[in-house]
């Protein structure tokens, strides 16, 4: 009888450890998540919430569903073929097709990085009064140092920490306001097109579904060096990748939704339209107090820095793939 209990206990312990295996695979999806909670998203979401209240929450839901499908597919490409999207485009399409497309993708990633550096600089100005130019330089230097650590694991852990800070910041902010939850739930699932909202809808959609994230995900998913010796092990990795993607995209959906909820519960309720991030911070202070404004600026800094890192990694992945090489700092 004692041996039977020992055997059962051993099996339960193995099952418990097997259940924890899933956490080994969390990471690549969160790097992608950072790309759609960047300062551009902040501007779009606060404009949507302040001008149209809860009515455009459905755009975040729709765009997140689109993103899950796209990111899941490119992650599969990386796992099964060992090629990132850029390498696959170079290998399987004529150069006169792939080179222009991938070249414009690199330029798009660079443009994205510039906007995200500006977001980090704006946050530094909010926090410490540092001029935008110097804030941009400081943000760039920090990002370059992170990128040239040549350690995927260090970057991944840093990004997870940044995403955690952003998420906790908005949880804190939401506790300070009164959300109309029935109206919010209706906004999440019911498409509506208020007069004059089309530009904001396209802005929110474009800020979530970002092409450079497709290149990034297909590359970083390979950096975990999964065991892929046979079909069974590949299927196991694919299963855990789906969990990582779903978990990470839902985190991004929640953070983007929180921005709109916060804007709707504060600015829309007060009849204030927010068009700039600096304006959002200065308006939050009299409405919710200095603590809320400080947390807002800190979360924006984390978003700006982390999204600049991932867009830099994406550009590096695309550039390397043009020459049929996998991404590497050197």
């Amino acid at each position: 009888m004692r041996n039977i209990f020992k055997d059962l206990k051993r099996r339960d312990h193995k099952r418990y450890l097997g259940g924890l295996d899933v956490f080994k695979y969390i990471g690549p999806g969160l790097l992608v998540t950072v790309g759609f909670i960047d300062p551009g998203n902040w501007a779009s979401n606060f404009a949507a919430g302040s001008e149209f209240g809860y009515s455009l929450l459905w755009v975040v839901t729709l765009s997140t569903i689109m993103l899950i499908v796209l990111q899941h597919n490119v992650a599969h490409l990386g796992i099964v073929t060992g090629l990132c999207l850029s390498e696959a485009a170079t290998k399987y399409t004529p150069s006169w097709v792939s080179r222009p497309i991938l070249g414009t993708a690199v330029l798009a990633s660079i443009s994205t990085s510039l906007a995200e550096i500006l977001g980090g600089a704006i946050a530094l100005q909010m926090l410490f009064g540092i001029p935008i130019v110097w804030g941009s330089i400081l943000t760039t230097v920090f990002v370059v140092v992170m990128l040239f650590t040549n350690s995927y694991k260090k970057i991944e852990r840093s990004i997870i920490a940044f995403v955690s800070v952003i998420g906790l910041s908005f949880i804190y902010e939401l506790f300070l306001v009164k959300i109309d939850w029935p109206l919010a739930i209706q906004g999440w699932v019911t498409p509506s097109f208020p007069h004059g909202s089309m530009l904001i809808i396209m802005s929110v959609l474009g800020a979530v579904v970002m092409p450079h994230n497709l290149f990034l995900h297909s590359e970083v998913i390979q950096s975990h060096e999964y065991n892929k010796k046979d079909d069974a092990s590949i299927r196991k990795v694919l299963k855990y990748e789906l969990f990582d993607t779903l978990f990470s995209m839902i985190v991004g959906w929640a953070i983007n939704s929180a921005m709109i909820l916060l804007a709707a519960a504060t600015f829309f309720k007060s009849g204030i339209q927010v068009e700039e991030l600096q304006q959002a911070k200065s308006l939050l202070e009299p409405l919710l107090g200095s603590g809320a404004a400080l947390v807002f600026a800190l979360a924006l800094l984390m978003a700006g820095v982390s999204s600049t890192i991932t867009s830099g990694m994406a550009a590096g992945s695309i550039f390397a793939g043009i020459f049929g090489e996998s991404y590497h700092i050197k």
Side-chain angles (χ1 to χ4, degrees):
M1 183 66 72
R2 185 178 298 173
N3 290 335
I4 292 173
F5 278 122
K6 282 183 178 179
D7 186 51
L8 289 172
K9 190 174 181 180
R10 193 180 299 114
R11 287 181 186 177
D12 288 341
H13 183 64
K14 285 182 179 179
R15 195 178 295 117
Y16 174 74
L17 291 177
L20 292 178
D21 277 350
V22 69
F23 292 103
K24 297 178 184 177
Y25 298 85
I26 297 294
L30 288 174
L31 290 182
V32 174
T33 298
V34 162
F36 70 101
I37 54 172
D38 68 330
N41 286 79
W42 287 54
S44 299
N45 291 331
F46 274 90
S50 65
E51 191 169 348
F52 301 105
Y54 303 102
S55 61
L56 296 186
L57 280 166
W58 67 271
V59 184
V60 177
T61 302
L62 174 63
S63 55
T64 302
I65 293 170
M66 294 169 62
L67 196 64
I68 288 171
V69 173
L70 293 169
Q71 299 296 156
H72 180 53
N73 277 283
V74 294
H76 272 206
L77 172 72
I79 292 168
V80 176
T81 67
L83 300 172
C84 75
L85 186 58
S86 181
E87 290 174 279
T90 299
K91 185 175 181 178
Y92 295 111
T93 60
S95 59
W96 61 270
V97 174
S98 64
R99 289 294 176 92
I101 292 174
L102 296 177
T104 54
V106 171
L107 293 176
S109 291
I110 293 170
S111 300
T112 302
S113 295
L114 292 175
E116 289 158 351
I117 288 170
L118 179 60
I122 290 171
L124 288 173
Q125 186 184 53
M126 292 177 182
L127 289 167
F128 308 111
I130 299 173
I132 292 292
V133 173
W134 286 107
S136 299
I137 294 171
L138 288 172
T139 304
T140 303
V141 169
F142 179 80
V143 167
V144 169
V145 170
M146 287 294 296
L147 287 172
F148 278 86
T149 56
N150 200 21
S151 171
Y152 167 78
K153 284 295 181 183
K154 287 180 183 177
I155 292 176
E156 186 182 82
R157 284 194 291 267
S158 300
I159 297 297
I160 291 173
F162 292 158
V163 172
S164 300
V165 169
I166 296 167
L168 291 172
S169 298
F170 277 102
I171 290 173
Y172 168 77
E173 302 269 10
L174 289 179
F175 272 110
L176 300 178
V177 297
K178 185 177 180 181
I179 305 294
D180 188 339
W181 290 111
L183 203 58
I185 292 169
Q186 181 182 343
W188 269 315
V189 298
T190 308
S192 64
F193 301 86
H195 178 71
S197 66
M198 189 53 66
L199 284 177
I200 298 293
I201 289 172
M202 297 307 295
S203 175
V204 173
L205 182 64
V208 172
V209 185
M210 303 183 75
H212 75 274
N213 276 336
L214 300 175
F215 294 95
L216 177 66
H217 202 174
S218 62
E219 179 66 56
V220 298
I221 196 72
Q222 302 172 52
S223 302
H224 269 236
E225 299 178 354
Y226 300 125
N227 174 27
K228 298 182 293 182
K229 293 180 180 179
D230 51 45
D231 288 347
S233 59
I234 289 175
R235 277 193 286 270
K236 180 182 178 183
V237 172
L238 293 175
K239 179 182 71 174
Y240 284 130
E241 173 278 321
L242 177 60
F243 178 84
D244 174 49
T245 298
L246 285 173
F247 171 77
S248 302
M249 300 305 107
I250 290 171
V251 168
W253 169 84
I255 293 175
N256 277 301
S257 296
M259 295 181 197
I260 295 179
L261 292 172
L262 180 63
T266 52
F267 305 129
F268 180 74
K269 186 178 178 181
S270 303
I272 302 169
Q273 290 187 19
V274 176
E275 298 177 351
E276 297 179 355
L277 291 174
Q278 296 97 320
Q279 182 188 9
K281 191 256 184 183
S282 62
L283 289 172
L284 276 176
E285 192 160 353
L287 289 172
L288 300 180
S290 58
L294 180 64
V295 169
F296 175 87
L298 178 62
L300 178 61
L301 178 61
M302 298 294 102
V305 168
S306 54
S307 58
T308 308
I309 291 170
T310 56
S311 62
M313 293 173 68
S317 170
I318 300 166
F319 184 79
I322 292 174
F323 301 98
E325 299 287 343
S326 60
Y327 170 69
H328 193 276
I329 294 297
K330 292 182 180 178

